[in-house]
Amino acid sequence: MNNGKSETKNLNQLIAISFILVLGALAPMLDTTMVNIAVNSIIVDFHTTVSSVQWVVTAYVLAIGIAVPIAGWAIDWVSGKTLYLGALILFLLGSAVAGFSGSIWLLVLSRVIQGAGAGMIMSALSTLIVRAASGENLGNLMSIVGLPAVFAPILGPTIGGLIIDHLDWHWIFYINIPIALFSIILLLWKSPKFAPEKGGKRLDWISIILFAGSFTELILGITKVSTTGNFFERQVMVPLSIGASLLILYILYAWIWPKRALVSLSLFKLPSFSASSLLLLMSGITINGAMLLLPLYYQNIRGASVVWTGIYLIPQGIGMLLTRTQVGKITDRIGARWVVMSGILISVLATLPFAFADQHTSQWMLLLALFFRGAGQGAMMIPIMADAYTGLSKKQVPEATISTRMLQNIGGAFGTAILATVVQHHLSGTVPTITHISDAYNVAFIWSIVSTVVAVIPAWFLSIKKSRA
């Protein structure tokens, strides 16, 4: 009886710690969606071009990618609490500089600082929670870890739209300051130290350079796809080739010197980790790419304002939110495979209406589809993230976090670029009427659906637990 009470108390403590850490990740996640809303305002204010302002978004993603492997190493040698505090302070500093920026390039620099802090936060978040839980109740805890990703699409566009309507784009960054300050105070007051294990690998600069270089070049190439509309352009192929070459070099390096490499290839011997990694990469099209299309569909086809676009997307976030707790519990009980399979089926059925929708499609039908689409996404992402850590030792957790975070970022950029290119290619050589634009979005949603169906293949290799009699 006492053991049951003790386990409940420990779980409650873990949940409380998880919420404290997750609060610190809320501002970086909100920042991503709010900045996308502010792009047009920044272009007008600085009298600059789309290609220049694109670096405001790209610099942030690049900085995250470079910070993730460094944070993955540091968490073995520095107190987790100290690392998280440092990351929050860095993000706070970047937000303040961004808010006061008087030029586009100072804004880009501030986004690098923000991204460095955000990358460390995202990397440390999962690792600290998994370590504190000792690999137990991961489905339940991952439903909490993923809360910022749920609230970002609900609150980000709506808050961003309201801020731009009533204030200006500078406040997109100012709003991060009180959130970060509150998180820092709460972390100082209530968070445990998360003592470092000091048994991890030494910082391997060759791994960092190969990882950072590969990630940077791949993101640059992927970003250029959406602006050029042609995958085989020189400015696309050169960075993609360099990025792929550096990644191959890292694989060879990790194979020859496994004890030095930051991420060991031995992780991929586990079928559940390999399947989760591939699914996270594919989620760029199945989830992230479609998240780009939905706001554009509502603004360009339905004629919705920025604020109303955010409101229309709320049902999707509610669907994700309502399914999180149950999905986590079910994953802990039966494993990830069948939960993800169910999520894939729901996501496909709920995205189908958008593959045939136009400006006259029933608004209520689309809102209902968004709700179920959110539920399907929740049923996919929580088990995938949890299964990435199933069967790993404590020493392997930071390496797994580096891999999963980088794959998510690359997948997100890749998926967004692919679907943006599909829309652009479909519109090339045509008069941009509502009908033609609507057709272009329909085709892009079909791409998203096909990618989601293909995800069934790696999902089959996720973990499955036999029920106990």
Side-chain angles (χ1 to χ4, degrees), residues 305-350:
S305 67
V306 173
V307 175
W308 273 104
T309 296
I311 293 170
Y312 287 140
L313 293 176
I314 286 175
Q316 182 170 244
I318 293 173
M320 292 178 72
L321 189 61
L322 292 179
T323 56
R324 296 192 80 76
T325 305
Q326 293 306 313
V327 164
K329 288 178 181 177
I330 294 169
T331 301
D332 286 335
R333 190 168 66 248
I334 68 170
R337 181 192 295 174
W338 296 115
V339 183
V340 173
M341 290 287 195
S342 302
I344 289 171
L345 177 62
I346 294 169
S347 295
V348 167
L349 293 176

Side-chain angles (χ1 to χ4, degrees), residues 216-297:
T216 302
E217 293 298 325
L218 287 172
I219 293 293
L220 283 172
I222 291 163
T223 302
K224 289 294 182 183
V225 174
S226 60
T227 55
T228 62
N230 189 346
F231 187 85
F232 296 101
E233 288 280 343
R234 184 175 179 275
Q235 55 187 312
V236 173
M237 292 303 295
V238 169
L240 284 181
S241 299
I242 294 171
S245 299
L246 290 173
L247 187 58
I248 292 168
L249 280 175
Y250 176 80
I251 292 169
L252 291 171
Y253 178 75
W255 181 51
I256 297 170
W257 292 286
K259 292 183 178 179
R260 293 187 194 173
L262 205 58
V263 175
S264 173
L265 299 181
S266 63
L267 284 172
F268 295 91
K269 292 179 180 178
L270 288 168
S272 58
F273 181 83
S274 296
S276 296
S277 298
L278 186 55
L279 285 165
L280 286 172
L281 191 63
M282 294 178 69
S283 71
I285 301 180
T286 59
I287 295 176
N288 300 72
M291 285 301 295
L292 166 76
L293 294 179
L294 288 167
L296 293 174
Y297 167 79

Side-chain angles (χ1 to χ4, degrees), residues 391-460:
L392 299 183
S393 66
K394 278 191 174 184
K395 289 183 179 180
Q396 289 177 309
V397 169
E399 296 182 36
T401 301
I402 292 170
S403 298
T404 54
R405 291 299 180 188
M406 290 189 76
L407 286 167
Q408 271 188 298
N409 279 314
I410 293 172
F414 195 51
T416 301
I418 286 174
L419 294 187
T421 303
V422 169
V423 171
Q424 186 172 329
H425 178 73
H426 198 75
L427 287 173
S428 62
T430 65
V431 178
T433 62
I434 290 291
T435 302
H436 287 149
I437 296 171
S438 182
D439 289 344
Y441 284 117
N442 292 156
V443 172
F445 278 117
I446 290 171
W447 273 66
S448 177
I449 290 168
V450 171
S451 176
T452 308
V453 171
V454 172
V456 166
I457 298 170
W460 183 258

Side-chain angles (χ1 to χ4, degrees), residues 94-369:
S95 297
V97 175
F100 288 106
S101 294
S103 72
I104 185 66
W105 298 115
L106 181 58
L107 181 58
V108 170
L109 176 62
S110 69
R111 292 288 283 166
V112 172
I113 299 169
Q114 269 193 313
M120 293 168 68
I121 289 169
M122 293 173 186
S123 179
L125 176 64
S126 300
T127 300
L128 293 178
I129 290 174
V130 171
R131 280 186 174 177
S134 298
E136 300 293 327
N137 300 301
L138 290 182
N140 211 353
L141 293 173
M142 282 302 159
S143 66
I144 299 172
V145 172
L147 281 174
V150 175
F151 285 113
I154 298 175
L155 301 177
T158 309
I159 294 173
L162 288 169
I163 288 171
I164 292 168
D165 275 355
H166 294 90
L167 298 166
D168 60 45
W169 66 264
H170 295 273
W171 285 90
I172 293 285
F173 301 104
Y174 291 148
I175 199 172
N176 293 329
I177 296 173
I179 298 173
L181 282 173
F182 181 72
S183 300
I184 289 168
I185 293 167
L186 198 60
L187 202 69
L188 286 168
W189 180 33
K190 286 290 186 180
S191 173
K193 284 186 67 176
F194 292 109
E197 296 196 352
K198 295 188 176 178
K201 296 177 179 178
R202 297 285 178 181
L203 183 59
D204 182 55
W205 284 107
I206 295 176
S207 293
I208 296 291
I209 291 167
L210 291 174
F211 255 142
S214 175
F215 186 89
T216 302
E217 293 298 325
L218 287 172
I219 293 293
L220 283 172
I222 291 163
T223 302
K224 289 294 182 183
V225 174
S226 60
T227 55
T228 62
N230 189 346
F231 187 85
F232 296 101
E233 288 280 343
R234 184 175 179 275
Q235 55 187 312
V236 173
M237 292 303 295
V238 169
L240 284 181
S241 299
I242 294 171
S245 299
L246 290 173
L247 187 58
I248 292 168
L249 280 175
Y250 176 80
I251 292 169
L252 291 171
Y253 178 75
W255 181 51
I256 297 170
W257 292 286
K259 292 183 178 179
R260 293 187 194 173
L262 205 58
V263 175
S264 173
L265 299 181
S266 63
L267 284 172
F268 295 91
K269 292 179 180 178
L270 288 168
S272 58
F273 181 83
S274 296
S276 296
S277 298
L278 186 55
L279 285 165
L280 286 172
L281 191 63
M282 294 178 69
S283 71
I285 301 180
T286 59
I287 295 176
N288 300 72
M291 285 301 295
L292 166 76
L293 294 179
L294 288 167
L296 293 174
Y297 167 79
Y298 272 106
Q299 291 179 53
N300 296 333
I301 307 301
R302 312 288 295 199
S305 67
V306 173
V307 175
W308 273 104
T309 296
I311 293 170
Y312 287 140
L313 293 176
I314 286 175
Q316 182 170 244
I318 293 173
M320 292 178 72
L321 189 61
L322 292 179
T323 56
R324 296 192 80 76
T325 305
Q326 293 306 313
V327 164
K329 288 178 181 177
I330 294 169
T331 301
D332 286 335
R333 190 168 66 248
I334 68 170
R337 181 192 295 174
W338 296 115
V339 183
V340 173
M341 290 287 195
S342 302
I344 289 171
L345 177 62
I346 294 169
S347 295
V348 167
L349 293 176
T351 308
L352 271 173
F354 290 94
F356 301 98
D358 57 25
Q359 67 268 39
H360 303 299
T361 303
S362 167
Q363 187 68 267
W364 289 107
M365 186 184 78
L366 295 180
L367 292 175
L368 189 64

